[in-house]
DNA sequence: ACTGGATCCTGACTGC
DNA sequence: TGCAGTCAGGATCCAG
């Protein structure tokens, strides 16, 4: 489910409810997530403390308090909601955090590809974060950067930009969408894209992500924000899940291929 | 160093 | 109705 815009939408939605509110209790109904939740460690780290900030690195959410950092990933089907303490938990609400003002945050994740970890060492050096590429909306993510990193790569440009060691946060939807905007064929070898076209691709990635954040992200099946509402960027998608439909630019039918076990959508006339 | 494939899991949907 | 097969916003791990 969530790519960078959906995670950022979640972060903005939950942040105001959490800051300076002590966590009074944590209930872990299902610890078997992507990695087992370390119940004692996590409980000890967060109960009795308020979170001082909620940050994002790529698709990871980082909840900081004076003891350390709680790191969450929403995986494919995860969402984080703020509800009242009277709302009954739903199926697949695996973890809940109770706050002193009565609000409750719940982590919902049917497929359980997400994770919730407690880190009491330097977060930036954590195994899951230390090798991550730049943030796509930062100035260090430039056409020149992608051009330099790609020179030795024979991999397809689509899987290349989805590699979090290259750049974080570009998932399956936005990779297809950005390549369409930039007019680059998704199967083109990363090492055979010109500097000028990488410049355009970087602009397209930034634009696509920014516009999606403005719309509250993309809901295909089940993404909801912290208030339980869907995102509305789906209406602005040009190619994703548009197989056989007319390209908005040239009207030829949108193609679908599979790359790295993921569906890719593109226009064979507009993208070379 | 780099690449592709298998893998974790549940649910929605399709076709027989 | 039921059952099998396919497909999903991710990304680690491992073999080659």
């Amino acid at each position: 489910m969530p790519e960078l815009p959906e995670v950022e939408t979640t972060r903005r939605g939950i942040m105001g409810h959490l800051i300076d509110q002590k966590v009074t209790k944590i209930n872990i109904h299902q610890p078997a997530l992507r990695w087992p939740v370390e119940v004692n460690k996590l409980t000890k780290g967060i109960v009795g403390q308020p979170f001082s900030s909620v940050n994002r690195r790529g698709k990871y959410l980082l909840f900081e308090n004076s003891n350390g950092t709680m790191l969450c990933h929403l995986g494919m089907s995860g969402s984080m909601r703020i509800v009242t303490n009277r709302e009954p938990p739903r199926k697949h609400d695996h973890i809940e955090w109770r706050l002193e003002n009565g609000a409750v945050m719940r982590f919902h994740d049917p497929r359980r590809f997400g994770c919730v970890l407690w880190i009491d060492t330097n977060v930036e050096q954590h195994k899951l974060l230390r090798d991550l590429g730049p943030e796509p909306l930062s100035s260090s993510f430039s056409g020149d950067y992608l051009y330099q990193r790609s020179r030795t790569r024979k991999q397809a440009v689509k899987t290349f930009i989805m590699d979090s060691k290259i750049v974080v946060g570009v998932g399956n939807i936005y990779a297809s969408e950005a390549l369409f905007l930039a007019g680059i064929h998704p199967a083109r070898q990363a090492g055979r894209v010109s500097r000028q076209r990488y410049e355009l691709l970087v602009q397209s990635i930034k634009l696509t992500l920014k516009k999606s954040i403005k719309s509250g992200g993309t809901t295909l099946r089940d993404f909801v924000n912290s208030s339980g509402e869907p995102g509305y960027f789906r209406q602005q998608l040009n190619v994703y899940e548009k197989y056989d439909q007319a390209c908005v630019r040239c009207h030829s039918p949108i193609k679908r291929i599979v790359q790295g076990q993921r569906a890719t959508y593109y226009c064979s006339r507009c993208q070379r």
Side-chain angles (χ1 to χ4, degrees):
Chain A
M1 140 208 158
E3 302 186 36
L4 187 145
E6 293 75 38
V7 178
E8 179 62 18
T9 297
T10 300
R11 187 187 76 83
R12 293 180 184 184
I14 60 181
M15 188 168 49
H17 295 270
L18 295 182
I19 303 297
D20 298 333
Q21 290 291 326
K22 274 184 195 163
V23 177
T24 54
K25 196 166 195 303
I26 178 169
N27 293 314
I28 300 163
H29 304 116
Q30 170 58 281
L33 303 182
R34 163 127 210 202
W35 295 288
V37 179
E38 298 176 294
V39 178
N40 293 337
K41 227 171 112 179
L42 180 61
T43 305
K44 209 174 158 205
I46 65 167
V47 172
Q49 295 286 329
F51 289 115
S52 54
S53 63
V54 183
N55 292 313
R56 180 186 58 70
R57 177 76 176 99
K59 298 174 194 165
Y60 291 98
L61 287 168
L62 305 170
F63 301 77
E64 276 136 356
N65 70 17
S66 54
N67 295 330
T69 305
M70 182 174 77
L71 177 149
C72 299
H73 196 292
L74 302 178
M76 287 276 262
S77 59
S79 58
M80 209 58 106
R81 287 180 72 180
I82 304 285
V83 295
T84 66
N85 53 17
R86 280 199 212 90
E87 183 110 357
R90 299 165 304 158
K91 193 178 181 185
H92 304 303
D93 277 350
H94 304 314
I95 302 184
E96 70 171 15
W97 294 261
R98 296 188 162 258
L99 304 169
E100 58 182 337
N101 65 1
V104 180
M105 180 169 78
R106 295 215 174 108
F107 175 63
H108 180 85
D109 185 13
R111 294 179 72 180
R112 288 192 273 128
F113 288 175
C115 67
V116 176
L117 304 175
W118 176 252
I119 301 167
D120 52 13
T121 54
N122 184 355
V123 195
E124 284 160 29
Q125 295 309 310
H126 190 272
K127 196 182 164 189
L128 292 172
L129 303 182
R130 70 180 174 213
D131 298 323
L132 292 179
E135 286 290 325
L137 297 178
S138 71
S139 56
S140 55
F141 181 58
S142 65
D144 190 53
Y145 166 80
L146 270 193
Y147 178 77
Q148 297 300 342
R149 292 295 304 264
S150 62
R151 288 311 87 192
T152 59
R153 301 289 196 120
K154 294 202 164 130
Q155 189 185 17
V157 64
K158 193 232 183 184
T159 53
F160 175 69
I161 59 170
M162 286 179 67
D163 181 347
S164 63
K165 291 191 176 66
I166 301 301
V167 58
V168 295
V170 182
N172 205 38
I173 298 178
Y174 302 112
S176 279
E177 292 296 316
L179 286 164
F180 172 76
L181 281 191
I184 300 171
H185 195 292
R188 176 173 283 274
Q189 282 184 20
R192 302 192 59 181
V193 174
S194 70
R195 186 189 296 263
Q196 197 180 357
R197 297 185 86 201
Y198 270 125
E199 204 61 63
L200 190 55
L201 179 57
V202 164
Q203 285 175 30
S204 303
I205 290 171
K206 289 176 192 272
L207 183 69
T208 306
L209 296 176
K210 280 183 193 167
K211 281 170 77 174
S212 181
I213 291 171
K214 272 195 179 164
S215 303
T218 302
T219 297
L220 292 178
R221 277 156 280 275
D222 50 17
F223 173 71
V224 287
N225 66 18
S226 60
S227 309
E229 298 148 349
Y232 296 103
F233 192 69
R234 189 178 191 179
Q235 297 156 10
Q236 295 176 65
L237 297 176
N238 288 307
V239 291
Y240 193 81
E241 286 195 328
K242 304 273 183 193
Y243 173 67
D244 223 19
Q245 295 181 39
C247 167
V248 294
R249 196 181 287 157
C250 78
H251 306 295
S252 57
I254 297 300
K255 307 262 190 218
R256 180 188 189 276
I257 55 172
V258 174
Q259 299 179 281
Q261 301 145 280
R262 316 292 299 276
T264 302
Y265 300 86
Y266 70 102
C267 172
S268 58
R269 194 153 162 218
C270 296
Q271 294 173 253
R272 298 297 166 109

